[in-house]
Amino acid sequence: MIAENKYTALPASYRLLILGFVLCKIILHFAANANYGLHADELYYIALGKNLQPGYLDNGPFTPWIAALYPAGRDISAFVYRLLPTLFSAATVGLSGLAAFRLGGGRLAVAITCTALLCSPAYLATGYFLQPVAFEPFFWTAGAFFLLRYVQTAQPAQAVWASLAFALGILNKYSTLLYFLALLPGLLISFRRTQQGSPFWPAVLPGLLLLLPNLFWQIQHDFPFVRYLSVLKANTPETGAWNFLLEQVLAHGSGLAVWSAGLVALLFLPHFRPYRFLGSAMLAILVFFMYSGGKIYYMLGAMPLLLAAGGVCWEKLLGRLAAFWTYNLFALHLLVLAALPALVPILPLQAMLNYFNTTASYTANTALLEWPDGRKHQLPAFYADMLGWETLTMQADSAYRALDPATKSRLTVVTDGYAVTAALIHYKPASFPAVHACDNSVLEWSFPRLPDGPILFITDKSTAGVSALAPQAVLLCTFRQPTAIGNGTNTFLLPSPQPGFSAWYRAEREKFTGSGR
């Protein structure tokens, strides 16, 4: 059956089936995308999109480029900003179904694959944000799919499309390069066994050309992303190798039964031998992230092709069993409906608070409600990160407007967290001064050294913490919204030059720049 689908045009019934799952994905997220406000990470990429560059200190440039496509203005809704990420996520569902067909699957295999992806908690929770994590699965899936087609057809065009997909994926998140390198050895071995001629390396050139501006930028800036990784590692608690593995097991819910079957099939079943490079790459990056401190979402891009292979395996197995077992396999995925509000902001805020209050009474596990401060709260941190940013900005603006004209004329606004920085840049009125940061990519267009004059410092540091840097600091206001991650953010006035504060500002910058830049 695998050989039959290598060259066969996708039948109309399959196209309709895949399109149906794609539309389900779109409708599900469209129903929730307007709820709450923009996430702090989304605000950050929107802020970077206002200053387009070939590269950034802590991210690839693709997501800021996407953010720059939207009209400027703080009144653009969250629904609009989440439109393209949702469409990319839906396209990933479609590509996965197509991969199941090309791997030899029938309609049941396509349905199993798409259902597992559609109902995966990990993909539901990340598939709509204007963040790299929403685009990454598409580029990994597209790159792997075109490599699969290259092995099947030996058409150079398929390798060209793969190189472009991986290049865009690298510009989105540099970890895509790891996946490509993990795929490469097995791909070349597989291709030598199955094909002759049709050189692979020239097809990589279009992708390399696409990467050149970012590569030159990285060289010019002494590879700041490498420094950022060290900063990130220093500030990220170690989860441990086996905890990371457990997270991968749980991340896709009942889809575990599908992707694990796909991994076994790709590694061991004879008729999947030409595609073994997909399974070996999955194992390679899994081990790498286990022992390098990976986060739960680092593996999302590798899963869709495993789900496609698993869909084919389950179709072959269920074809020998009664229809009862097929219905039960699909019914397992429906369990995600009970957890849907914990994954997608489908409920209004008060209903969401009631939901988590009710569910918390049934379990002692409160990890979902724990914020970076280590305490249990009313909402998960990723929902709290969507609340209060505009109010916080307006409060800071009110504090600024209350200052006397002489102070305002010489004032510098400084922040020390990407979330507050991004919120101020996005929501501030035109009369509010430019925002200067010392610990994220915004520092590229911030003062390298603070000028003389008063400083408006907006931070989550305590009064005692700020006073240690600037003894004359005056607390102007504190943002209070218990359901918002920014709750407790303080706005201070530092009325005169503070040597300790200026030294701290330079030291924080140098963690990212590696010099006095």
Side-chain angles (χ1 to χ4, degrees), residues 160-488:
V160 170
W161 284 115
S163 77
L164 291 174
F166 281 121
L168 287 171
I170 291 168
L171 293 174
N172 178 61
K173 278 193 74 176
Y174 295 120
S175 57
T176 305
L177 178 61
L178 297 175
Y179 185 51
F180 176 73
L181 293 176
L183 286 166
L184 204 53
L187 168 69
L188 295 177
I189 293 170
S190 175
F191 191 72
R192 280 199 192 123
R193 285 173 177 165
T194 56
Q195 305 289 347
Q196 297 294 328
S198 186
F200 173 77
W201 295 111
V204 177
L205 289 176
L208 290 176
L209 291 174
L210 198 58
L211 291 172
L212 282 180
N214 180 257
L215 178 60
F216 288 149
W217 186 91
Q218 289 284 342
I219 293 171
Q220 183 183 9
H221 291 76
D222 299 323
F223 292 95
F225 188 73
V226 176
R227 285 191 299 275
Y228 170 70
L229 289 178
S230 65
V231 173
L232 184 67
K233 189 171 182 62
N235 294 322
T236 304
E238 289 286 346
T239 59
W242 296 107
N243 282 339
F244 177 80
L245 182 60
L246 180 62
E247 288 175 344
Q248 300 309 308
V249 169
L250 299 177
H252 301 282
S254 55
L256 169 65
V258 183
W259 73 256
S260 59
L263 180 60
V264 171
L266 288 169
L267 291 175
F268 300 112
L269 296 190
H271 53 262
F272 281 97
R273 188 178 183 185
Y275 318 115
R276 194 152 291 165
F277 65 94
L278 295 170
S280 60
M282 168 68 179
L283 282 183
I285 60 170
L286 177 63
V287 172
F288 177 84
F289 286 135
M290 280 177 65
Y291 291 99
S292 64
K295 296 182 180 179
I296 185 172
Y297 54 85
Y298 282 11
M299 296 288 297
L300 291 182
M303 289 296 178
L305 266 291
L306 294 189
L307 292 172
V312 176
C313 285
W314 275 103
E315 181 182 55
K316 292 180 180 296
L317 175 63
L318 293 171
R320 302 187 182 97
L321 301 175
F324 168 80
W325 296 106
T326 303
Y327 297 141
N328 273 272
L329 179 66
F330 284 101
L332 280 174
H333 293 303
L334 297 180
L335 294 173
V336 78
L337 292 176
L340 193 61
L343 305 168
V344 179
I346 199 77
L347 298 177
L349 180 57
Q350 188 55 54
M352 190 69 82
L353 291 169
N354 294 338
Y355 170 85
F356 281 107
N357 184 54
T358 302
T359 54
S361 64
Y362 289 101
T363 176
N365 187 347
T366 60
L368 190 63
L369 297 176
E370 290 176 6
W371 290 6
D373 62 10
R375 293 185 297 168
K376 177 184 173 183
H377 292 264
Q378 296 173 280
L379 286 174
F382 60 87
Y383 285 156
D385 247 325
M386 302 179 195
L387 302 173
W389 296 117
E390 185 170 10
T391 305
L392 184 154
T393 302
M394 293 303 102
Q395 187 181 77
D397 180 60
S398 295
Y400 165 74
R401 287 188 285 106
L403 300 174
D404 63 83
T407 299
K408 287 195 286 188
S409 67
R410 302 172 58 238
L411 189 75
T412 301
V413 176
V414 176
T415 62
D416 69 342
Y418 81 92
V420 172
T421 303
L424 291 170
I425 291 173
H426 184 68
Y427 289 118
K428 74 181 184 68
S431 59
F432 193 84
V435 180
H436 298 270
C438 57
D439 64 351
N440 53 67
S441 286
V442 176
L443 67 80
E444 280 283 276
W445 49 93
S446 297
F447 289 134
R449 281 176 169 75
L450 293 175
D452 292 338
I455 292 169
L456 192 71
F457 185 38
I458 304 166
T459 176
D460 62 0
K461 294 183 185 299
S462 66
T463 300
V466 175
S467 295
L469 299 172
Q472 297 178 8
V474 177
L475 178 63
L476 300 181
C477 60
T478 300
F479 172 66
R480 295 297 182 194
Q481 184 176 334
T483 56
I485 205 83
N487 183 49

Side-chain angles (χ1 to χ4, degrees), residues 68-80:
L69 296 176
Y70 293 97
R74 61 181 184 176
D75 296 327
I76 306 301
S77 70
F79 182 89
V80 173

Side-chain angles (χ1 to χ4, degrees), residues 35-237:
N35 288 341
Y36 312 160
L38 289 164
H39 190 280
D41 290 359
E42 294 177 297
L43 290 168
Y44 183 55
Y45 292 107
I46 293 167
L48 298 186
K50 298 178 189 294
N51 294 270
L52 291 181
Q53 299 179 172
Y56 296 91
L57 299 179
D58 53 1
N59 291 284
F62 181 82
T63 305
W65 292 350
I66 292 292
L69 296 176
Y70 293 97
R74 61 181 184 176
D75 296 327
I76 306 301
S77 70
F79 182 89
V80 173
Y81 279 116
R82 291 168 180 168
L83 177 62
L84 283 175
T86 297
L87 295 179
F88 269 80
S89 297
T92 305
V93 174
L95 264 180
S96 302
L98 185 57
F101 172 75
R102 291 302 178 192
L103 285 170
R107 280 185 288 271
L108 179 58
V110 170
I112 291 171
T113 301
C114 292
T115 302
L117 195 60
L118 187 65
C119 296
S120 161
Y123 291 116
L124 283 169
T126 60
Y128 61 97
F129 284 122
L130 182 60
Q131 302 179 30
V133 71
F135 302 111
E136 183 179 34
F138 173 80
F139 290 123
W140 285 36
T141 303
F145 174 78
F146 286 120
L147 289 181
L148 182 154
R149 294 296 290 147
Y150 177 62
V151 168
Q152 289 182 334
T153 67
Q155 295 173 350
Q158 302 291 346
V160 170
W161 284 115
S163 77
L164 291 174
F166 281 121
L168 287 171
I170 291 168
L171 293 174
N172 178 61
K173 278 193 74 176
Y174 295 120
S175 57
T176 305
L177 178 61
L178 297 175
Y179 185 51
F180 176 73
L181 293 176
L183 286 166
L184 204 53
L187 168 69
L188 295 177
I189 293 170
S190 175
F191 191 72
R192 280 199 192 123
R193 285 173 177 165
T194 56
Q195 305 289 347
Q196 297 294 328
S198 186
F200 173 77
W201 295 111
V204 177
L205 289 176
L208 290 176
L209 291 174
L210 198 58
L211 291 172
L212 282 180
N214 180 257
L215 178 60
F216 288 149
W217 186 91
Q218 289 284 342
I219 293 171
Q220 183 183 9
H221 291 76
D222 299 323
F223 292 95
F225 188 73
V226 176
R227 285 191 299 275
Y228 170 70
L229 289 178
S230 65
V231 173
L232 184 67
K233 189 171 182 62
N235 294 322
T236 304

